[in-house]
Amino acid sequence: MSIFLVIAFLFCIGSIIGWCIELLFRRFFDKKMNPEGKWVNPGFCVGPYLPIYGCGLVMLYLIASLEKLDIIENPYIEKPVLFVIMALCMTAVEFIAGTIGLKVTSVRLWDYSDEWGNIKGFICPKFSLAWAILGAVYYFLIHPYILDALEWLSNNLAFSFFVGLFFGVFIIDVAYSSSIMAKLKKFAEENDVYVRYEKIKSQFRAYQEKQKGRLRFFFPFRSERSISDLLTDFKITFERRKK
């Protein structure tokens, strides 16, 4: 089985599983951004997937596969080093993705500014530790099943059709979501600010419920009025650009 299909398959299931994790986290644990405990569709895309988790699963799989090289012979040292590498790599992915998102679109997709030791609000020790723990959970509880899943896929290549279908829907979703980001970027540049994505989504959810009495879970930005007009009306705390 080609490495391309392996990566595509892992990205697919990682994105979906990551979306489920974030959905539950925001519903039951994220009281700061979701004090009312409502179901919130996480992430940049409309559909039930988070690309950063897809990239994360691919990376965790590749790092866990380094164990076969026997670089460190002592197993008591090997495992902690492996988990530290996983945490560092995932933290790097967060930092790069957050930085690119802010520089290219003027939108801050997530914000750790209130967390201790944060760097530019993109990464912080708290979530780096969470990545290390998640890496350990992956290694001991998930990786063996991933290997079984890849073996099953190699014997059932017809399933690759659904992987291709996933990417077809995903590409359309990215195109639609990018059009939303373009409108947010335009507003941000015209007002010389950076936009906090999650806060804006929260404002749009509140507006939808007030106007329609219902919440669009998958299309939070759909409205009769333009996004620019609503952003002007909303009392959102934007992040001023530093001169």
Side-chain angles (χ1 to χ4, degrees), residues 31-157:
K31 299 302 181 183
K32 182 168 61 176
M33 289 302 299
N34 186 23
E36 297 179 358
K38 296 182 179 180
W39 292 103
V40 177
N41 183 15
F44 152 74
C45 293
V46 171
Y49 31 72
L50 286 176
I52 193 170
Y53 279 90
C55 295
L57 182 59
V58 171
M59 189 168 293
L60 292 177
Y61 167 78
L62 294 175
I63 295 173
S65 299
L66 293 176
E67 187 181 35
K68 300 177 182 178
L69 302 178
D70 292 326
I71 299 175
I72 301 176
E73 296 182 358
N74 190 327
Y76 297 103
I77 299 178
E78 181 185 41
K79 298 298 186 295
V81 169
L82 201 63
F83 303 148
V84 169
I85 292 174
M86 288 178 174
L88 291 176
C89 288
M90 291 305 302
T91 299
V93 168
E94 265 196 317
F95 185 79
I96 293 171
T99 301
I100 292 176
L102 188 63
K103 295 296 183 182
V104 174
T105 67
S106 298
V107 176
R108 183 179 288 278
L109 294 173
W110 60 85
D111 191 0
Y112 298 155
S113 298
D114 295 334
E115 300 291 345
W116 174 82
N118 76 86
I119 299 178
K120 296 184 177 181
F122 298 130
I123 58 175
C124 66
K126 174 182 175 181
F127 285 95
S128 293
L129 176 61
W131 283 122
I133 295 173
L134 188 60
V137 170
Y138 168 81
Y139 179 84
F140 289 113
L141 301 179
I142 301 175
H143 189 61
Y145 294 101
I146 291 294
L147 297 178
D148 291 341
L150 291 176
E151 183 178 357
W152 176 87
L153 180 62
S154 66
N155 296 322
N156 298 271
L157 290 178

Side-chain angles (χ1 to χ4, degrees), residues 169-188:
V169 174
F170 175 70
I171 291 171
I172 295 173
D173 192 334
V174 169
Y176 169 80
S177 299
S178 296
S179 68
I180 300 296
M181 297 295 280
K183 295 176 182 178
L184 296 179
K185 178 183 180 181
K186 180 180 178 181
F187 176 86

